Structures are given as C-alpha cells and as structure tokens.
Amino acid sequence: MTGENRQCWESGLKIFCGIDWAESHHDVALVDDSGSLVAKRRISDDAAGYRLLLDLLAEHGDTETAPIPVAIETSHGLLVAVLRTGRRQVFAINPLAAARYRDRHGVSRKKSDPGDALVLANILRTDLPMHRPLPADSDQGRAVTVLARAQQDAVWNRQQLGNQIRSLLREYYPAALEAFQSKAGGLARPDTRAVLTAAPTPARAAKLSLTQLRAALKRAGRTRGIDAEAERLREVFRAEHTRHPDAVEAAFGHQLAALLKQFDAACQAGDDLAEAVEAAFREHPDAEVYLSFPGLGVQLGARLLAEIGDDRTRFADARGLKAYAGSAPITRASGKKSYVGRRMVKNNRLMHAGFLWAFSSLTASPGADAHYRRRREHGDWHAGAQRNLLNRLLGQLFHCLQNRQLFDENHAFTSSVTSSITAAA
C-alpha cells in the first residue's frame, strides 16, 4: 500500500469501485466519498486479471471485514463469482439506469469504457442505499438456479421446435398431424418422433408395413398396444390426402428430418435437466416448504426457488417479493389522474412460474379456488384473478420460508371460505 493510499485508508475515507465489463477486458475505477478518482486500471478477463483486481482493491483498503462495494452491469460470469467471495457487496446496475447516470456528468453524450467504470463507482457513492446488492444465496441455491433456468430454457426451445415442426407438417403432411396431434404430448412423444423419422414424407409413410411401424414404436420405448397403434397409423397414412409434387415433397422431407434431429436433442436435454433439477432441489433445505404448497411439484417449486433464492434478507417483507414477481399492482398518480395496474418491470421467469402455480392450485386448494372465484365475481378477468391469487400465495410462501413452517390450508385462507367450499362439495 502506498503512502497516499494508507493515509486515505487510515483517515476513514470510503472507497467505491465501478467495473465496466467486456468480453476480453474490464475497466476498473475507484473513487472516494468526495468523488475523487483514486485509481483506474484495465484488467484482462482471466485469472491473472482477477488477481490484479483483487490486489488493487486490497491496496486501497479492501479487507475481509470491510470490503469495498462494487458496481457492475451484470450479475453473471466468473468475474462476478470472484467478486462475491467473502462479504463483499456486488451491485448489478441496470445498463439503462447507468446510461441515465452518465448524462449527469455531461451533456455531450460522450462515452468510453473508463468513463463508464467511473460512472458506476459514482452511482454507489451517491445512491448506494437506492440499489440492492446481489443476494447472498447459498451454493446449493445457486446450483438450483442454474439447473432450473437451463431446464426451463430447454422446455421453451423444445416448444419452439415443436411449433416449427407442426407448422411444417401443415404445409405438406396433414396425415402426421391427424395421427399424432390429439395424443397427450403430441409431437414431442418419443413414438411420434420415431415414426416421423422413419417416414418424413407422406409417400414413405403410405408404404410403411405393419412390421416397420411396430419396429418404430418399439424403438421409441413403447411396450403396450403396439399392434393396435400400428394398425391405426397405417390406416391414417394410407388415407387420401392432398399431396405436393414428388420433388417438392422430398424437399420438405429433408427439412423435417433436420428439424427432428434438433427436436430429439431438445427433448433429451429437457429430460436430462429435469432429472438434475429434481436431484438438486430435493437436497435443498427449503424444498420441504415449497412442496407443502398446493399446486407445487418438484420442477415448478425449483423454478420458484431459483428466482426467489434462499437469502432470507433479500426482501425486507412480503411486499418486496410481490413487487419483484410483478404480482403486486403499481400506482401511477399525477395531478387529477390516478391509475392502478399491473407491473411491467418484473422477474419474468418468476411471473411465468407463478401463473402456472396459481392455475394448478385451483384444483389442489379449496381456499385458492374460492379466492379466485371471488375475484372473478368482483369483475376481475382471468389473468387479473390469477395475478391476485398469486399475490396472496407469495405472501404465504414468504411467511413460511421466514418461519420454516409448512403450508396449512386452514391458516392460509379464511375458515369461512374453506368451510363453505367443503360443505358445498
């Protein structure tokens, strides 16, 4: 530590760090509580660069008991993982918010990486209480987050590919839709994919024998009703349908074969990740609380845990969680105008999982069903009633997580509503 740095540290000056991250390098700026630039450095995106950053922070007073807070425009990556060691607070600043702060330092709209790092450091210096640090989730909780988000992405990718295949089949292969669309799982079923792989065109499908159809169904893992299913498929494929010319039909077949390879990989990835999610989620100490709630299974519970985390200090109260999820309404008032509506800025993954939870709870909880019906009777549309129910469920979940309690139907909803529903049943 230099003499100047030691003097600043011993005098009690607070230091704030801002990092403008990029793919190959990162710009670092340190400012004191008077706004003076204490140090700046460009580091590489590797282990050597990270060590240089930690040495720079230590040189200016960073200790295990009093770490220097850091502002950066991302919450992911190895750099963030290095910074989050120990008790250091890392603030993920929204790039749009950082751009607004930049305008406070000049109207010329100039921009540079070192300048952005300085802006981020000054954000913490002036408005640190207005920003929230990254939650101090456990390693178990962060592992569930990685797996649950990956599994959800795999499901969305599978659905997107399924929609592409369905759209393609409508163009040239209506018999395939007639054969598989009405079945549970639809085009994502293993036997559906196996048969389409064996017969990617109507011409080839019409030529399939019962033996070939049985073999395709067995390759997909089907063990029951193979003969009856093979008979049904042969009748559908040999029925009369409008066809494209042979050359065009063959070209469509090549396109379908290519999509099916991607579809198979997406389906397998979703299944593999689902198994990994279940294993990681069941080992988490909060899993018992999540699974005690009506309408929550392993996958949906894991998605909620992934977005909420297991840091009990992340939200000061249930209202913070509800606002983060987007279930709590927002008020816009100016002059004589006042508007109460849904939140547009929210955690979209948490809201998506929350709507699935609220919908599935209707058949699993008499109280949730009664709450939803009461909101509909008061004039709410389906989405509004679902959002209101989710708002209540999130409040109950927050209480149970904070107090390590399991869900109790009799305490979660008013006894009058629950008893009336029970009596009507």
Side-chain angles (χ1 to χ4, degrees):
M1 184 180 297
T2 65
E4 182 181 356
N5 293 336
R6 181 179 296 277
Q7 182 179 1
C8 291
W9 177 64
E10 292 177 349
S11 64
L13 285 177
K14 294 182 179 179
I15 303 296
F16 306 91
C17 176
I19 301 178
D20 182 75
W21 70 281
E23 184 174 340
S24 59
H25 64 266
H26 315 290
D27 286 276
V28 182
L30 299 179
V31 299
D32 59 23
D33 50 7
S34 66
S36 299
L37 178 65
V38 176
K40 64 178 181 178
R41 190 74 56 85
R42 171 167 288 187
I43 63 172
S44 56
D45 185 44
D46 52 25
Y50 302 155
R51 284 195 299 270
L52 182 62
L53 171 61
L54 295 179
D55 291 342
L56 181 65
L57 293 175
E59 183 182 350
H60 291 83
D62 181 81
T63 64
E64 185 176 351
T65 57
I68 293 176
V70 178
I72 189 171
E73 291 180 319
T74 182
S75 59
H76 309 290
L78 290 173
L79 174 60
V80 176
V82 170
L83 291 171
R84 294 185 68 179
T85 55
R87 299 171 51 190
R88 182 180 292 105
Q89 289 185 318
V90 179
F91 296 80
I93 307 298
N94 187 297
L96 291 177
R100 301 298 183 272
Y101 273 97
R102 191 186 304 122
D103 292 339
R104 295 171 58 179
H105 296 265
V107 296
S108 63
R109 307 306 297 270
K110 65 179 181 179
K111 185 183 184 303
S112 67
D113 294 342
D116 287 347
L118 181 61
V119 168
L120 289 169
N122 278 307
I123 288 176
L124 295 187
R125 180 180 67 86
T126 58
D127 293 322
L128 188 145
M130 303 299 295
H131 297 275
R132 293 190 302 177
L134 293 177
D137 293 327
S138 67
D139 291 344
Q140 269 186 302
R142 292 164 65 186
V144 172
T145 300
V146 171
L147 291 171
R149 288 179 176 177
Q151 197 275 337
Q152 188 176 37
D153 289 340
V155 170
W156 287 341
N157 184 41
R158 181 179 64 191
Q159 183 63 49
Q160 184 180 35
L161 287 169
N163 290 339
Q164 292 180 31
I165 291 175
R166 180 181 179 275
S167 178
L168 179 62
L169 292 176
R170 284 179 58 86
E171 287 194 51
Y172 83 105
Y173 201 166
L177 292 178
E178 182 181 341
F180 303 114
Q181 191 70 20
S182 60
K183 286 184 167 291
L187 298 176
R189 292 169 59 92
D191 52 352
T192 300
R193 290 180 276 126
V195 172
L196 288 178
T197 300
T201 64
R204 291 177 61 178
K207 295 178 182 179
L208 288 177
S209 65
L210 288 176
T211 302
Q212 291 173 319
L213 287 169
R214 292 192 195 99
L217 294 174
K218 289 179 181 179
R219 283 197 302 271
R222 183 161 183 154
T223 58
R224 302 176 61 183
I226 293 178
D227 292 339
E229 180 66 7
E231 290 278 3
R232 185 186 72 85
L233 291 176
R234 188 175 68 165
E235 291 180 3
V236 173
F237 289 149
R238 294 187 176 183
E240 183 179 354
H241 294 281
T242 305
R243 301 263 298 273
H244 282 284
D246 292 343
V248 177
E249 188 177 272
F252 277 122
H254 285 296
Q255 183 181 1
L256 176 61
L259 284 175
L260 284 173
K261 291 179 181 178
Q262 301 177 54
F263 198 37
D264 286 337
C267 291
Q268 186 63 49
D271 294 340
D272 292 344
L273 286 169
E275 294 179 5
V277 167
E278 181 170 3
F281 177 69
R282 289 191 182 278
E283 292 179 357
H284 196 280
D286 289 345
E288 185 180 10
V289 176
Y290 280 93
L291 294 178
S292 69
F293 276 78
L296 277 186
V298 171
Q299 298 300 322
L300 201 53
R303 291 182 186 181
L304 290 173
L305 171 60
E307 303 309 322
I308 296 174
D310 54 11
D311 180 5
R312 296 290 180 263
T313 64
R314 181 177 188 179
F315 303 102
D317 51 32
R319 291 180 298 177
L321 173 58
K322 295 174 181 179
Y324 179 67
S327 62
I330 190 170
T331 301
R332 301 179 184 273
S334 177
K336 297 181 180 180
K337 296 182 179 180
S338 180
Y339 166 77
V340 179
R342 63 187 180 94
R343 291 176 181 264
M344 303 303 294
V345 179
K346 58 187 180 299
N347 184 318
N348 291 322
R349 288 182 183 268
L350 181 54
M351 173 56 76
H352 181 271
F355 260 89
L356 294 177
W357 177 24
F359 183 75
S360 60
S361 69
L362 298 179
T363 56
S365 168
D369 182 65
H371 183 92
Y372 169 81
R373 294 182 183 278
R374 187 167 62 252
R375 295 302 307 182
R376 292 301 304 271
E377 291 172 357
H378 288 175
D380 283 359
W381 289 63
H382 169 72
Q386 289 278 82
R387 191 162 45 248
N388 190 278
L389 174 58
L390 173 60
N391 201 53
R392 181 158 185 172
L393 289 173
L394 285 173
Q396 296 166 359
L397 177 61
F398 179 85
H399 173 81
C400 290
L401 289 173
Q402 292 293 112
N403 297 279
R404 298 298 305 168
Q405 295 179 357
L406 301 183
F407 177 84
D408 186 343
E409 179 79 20
N410 295 325
H411 289 85
F413 297 95
T414 58
S415 58
S416 59
V417 172
T418 304
S419 60
S420 63
I421 296 298
T422 305

